[in-house]
Amino acid sequence: MRSYYPCEQVRAAEAPLLAALPEGTLMRRAAFGLARVAAAELRSRTGAVAGRRVTLLVGSGDNGGDALWAGAFLRRRGVAVTALLLDPQRAHRAGLAALRAAGGRAVPADPDRIGDPDLVLDGVVGISGRGPLRPAAAAVVEQITAPIVAVDTPSGVDPDTGAVDGPAVTAAVTVTFGAYKPVHALAPTRCGRVELVDIGLELPPPCMVAAEPAEIGAIWPVPGADDDKYSQGVVGIVAGSARFPGAGVLCAGAAVAATSGMVRYAGSAAPVVLARFPEVVAAPSFAEAGRVQAWVIGPGGGTDHQAADTLRDVLATDLPVLVDADGLTLLSRQPDLVRGRRAPTLLTPHAGEFARLTGRRPEPDRVAAVRALAADWRVHVLLKGRSTLIANPDGHVFVNEAGGSWAATAGAGDVLSGMIGALMSAGMAPDLAAAAGARAHSTAADLAARGGHDLAARGGEPGWAAPTSASAILDRVPAAVRSLRGMAES
Ligand SMILES: NC(=O)C1=CN([C@@H]2O[C@H](COP(=O)(O)OP(=O)(O)OC[C@H]3O[C@@H](n4cnc5c(N)ncnc54)[C@H](O)[C@@H]3O)[C@@H](O)[C@H]2O)[C@H](O)CC1
Ligand SMILES: [K+]
């Protein structure tokens, strides 16, 4: 599991070390790791380190200090280093002295003095940064064409929420120190590749965790010697209708693809679902469906009285229930249907459905927003997005950074719900099932976009991708599960 910590927890963890260690030790530890990553970037991008040019953007705090010390370490490897000081009077004194002693240059920041660097280190602000870049820093950053290595966090991006509301750095790499911060999972397009430098922090339980793909692969339910079609979990799907059968096909099909358990479908789209997936056991209504271990309700189900009555009947069971799409719209009108429900309940809203449930959109602090809904309604909540967040009623948050936006296509949510419902019926807790399903879903979307080339299997070299569809994602679910299980085995 990769753990993420809010800035104030990182600062609190730094404090005893700062007090115990000689002045500047922690910063030099961080800067040495930063210089090592920067040198590796130079080598991989330009074929050499010595003789290359690096420009430092230096703010007024310790983030700038990290950059200055890293500049001094790079100087010792023959790199030409120029520091642009955004606030010369307040630049980190010891770092500036170290850079100059190593033969580096330091000048007041000016867009005309960026030079032609091979790499830029963004040491404008780190965990004390709030809001967008200020004008002087923004004027310089917008002129930079070289790849940027962000020091700790990309400046101008909120380190705790990943929110961007003005000029901000877009980094190719972010080198963070001591602990991952939420921004590293919530703003992946701003952070680029994230590298962690250990500086010896002792940390409390994290605010958010990301399950590694191999961990998801290791817990994915597969049939054992004593299993039969019932013992692996039976999931019931209430989705789609005779008029709009598509969501029923995608949701039931995804449940079929995700595990070996049995899938029951209940609804008027039964003939169309069966035509596509004959292994589904279909009934024309919820009342006529057989026994299941978990229900999925909502995708394409409509919001009329009959749909509302079925939602009430499903939630009146003592089974785990996943409510998605139209089911969430109905729930926003009758929250009491889940409040106080004792059986596990998982809601899977996108930002708009979240606003319908709570009366406000989840931005800018999506982690706090999803945690609050889960705690207030005593449910599990999966908030969809490039970085999908999953909160349980006790405040634990999983994050799944999709690595791309290929799943942003009509019907992909129906596929996700079917996958998660199958995992819930196999006995997984709703938040773990949601985290596992979200990871497999984003893996399937990436495979579908790349025509089946598995990046992980091919060592991650870039393969070109193209827009894809929910049906194509559904078709890649088995390959995605194989990829995750393969990582667990390797
Ligand atoms: N303490 C240590 O030994 C280590 C610290 N690490 C690094 O320190 C930074 C955090 O440094 P801090 O001095 O607290 O603040 P910043 O450098 O992040 O910010 C400086 C200063 O910038 C101003 N500011 C705030 N927002 C903006 C903005 N949007 N634009 C411009 N300027 C802004 C504000 O006045 C801040 O005080 C941490 O990130 C690490 O890089 C090492 O990691 C470990 C050792
Ligand atoms: K920074």
Side-chain angles (χ1 to χ4, degrees), residues 63 122-126 150-155:
N63 196 246
D122 157 30
V124 178
V125 287
V151 180
D152 208 7
T153 65
S155 301

Side-chain angles (χ1 to χ4, degrees), residues 172-249:
V173 184
T174 293
V175 180
T176 192
F177 313 115
Y180 293 106
K181 289 82 182 177
V183 63
H184 299 131
L186 301 176
T189 56
R190 290 288 182 171
C191 293
R193 186 181 86 247
V194 182
E195 305 248 2
L196 174 66
V197 173
D198 181 4
I199 57 174
L201 300 188
E202 297 283 323
L203 290 153
C207 72
M208 179 168 72
V209 296
E212 300 291 355
E215 292 167 314
I216 299 289
I219 61 168
W220 201 274
V222 292
D226 305 327
D227 271 319
D228 61 32
K229 65 183 177 186
Y230 293 107
S231 61
Q232 300 163 82
V234 181
V235 63
I237 306 290
V238 182
S241 64
R243 191 153 167 251
F244 298 108
V249 171

Side-chain angles (χ1 to χ4, degrees), residues 2 4 185-186 208-211 387-390 397-401 435:
R2 179 178 285 197
Y4 297 85
L186 301 176
M208 179 168 72
V209 296
S387 296
T388 293
L389 298 173
I390 296 123
V397 176
F398 279 110
V399 58
N400 177 65
E401 199 282 290

